[in-house]
Amino acid sequence: MDNPREDPLKGFGRLRYVEELLFHAGDAGISLAAIAKRCGVNRTTIHRDIRKLMDDGVPIWCDKGKYGIERTNYLRAVRLNLHEAADFHRGGIKV
């Protein structure tokens, strides 16, 4: 995740990537500029994305211009395809 993207990420894919960057930033956090560079977009766009993530319940902290995810209050979203979701619903997924 260290390489900046040459092509800008769009929409939902960018939101998930921003969420991953924030999660992996740990206690040190990451700046809007660093996230924007990695996503190939403007800082304003990243600020809006962070607001959307917060509205979706992602516990994001900000301190001295650095952002991160409050890990103690964070539950990662589980993404399943249709067949996995159907198996899970029937109780067929084994962990």
Side-chain angles (χ1 to χ4, degrees):
M1 281 198 276
D2 291 331
N3 297 333
R5 296 187 54 87
E6 292 180 13
D7 60 326
L9 286 166
K10 303 213 183 312
F12 185 75
R14 187 182 61 244
L15 279 175
R16 295 304 114 205
Y17 187 60
V18 169
E19 186 175 357
E20 287 293 318
L21 290 173
L22 291 168
F23 181 79
H24 291 294
D27 293 336
I30 187 169
S31 69
L32 288 179
I35 298 171
K37 183 176 181 181
R38 291 183 182 161
C39 292
V41 296
N42 190 289
R43 287 182 305 181
T44 306
T45 301
I46 298 304
H47 191 266
R48 281 193 305 265
D49 288 347
I50 287 175
R51 179 62 53 202
K52 286 178 192 174
L53 289 169
M54 291 172 77
D55 290 346
D56 287 344
V58 177
I60 296 174
W61 58 263
C62 176
D63 184 40
K64 299 178 185 167
K66 302 283 185 166
Y67 292 79
I69 290 180
E70 179 60 51
R71 292 173 180 220
T72 58
N73 297 323
Y74 179 63
L75 292 174
R76 292 187 105 166
V78 176
R79 291 171 182 75
L80 304 173
N81 67 34
L82 178 62
H83 299 291
E84 293 167 336
D87 285 345
F88 184 77
H89 180 70
R90 289 191 304 266
I93 288 185
K94 304 210 179 2
V95 180

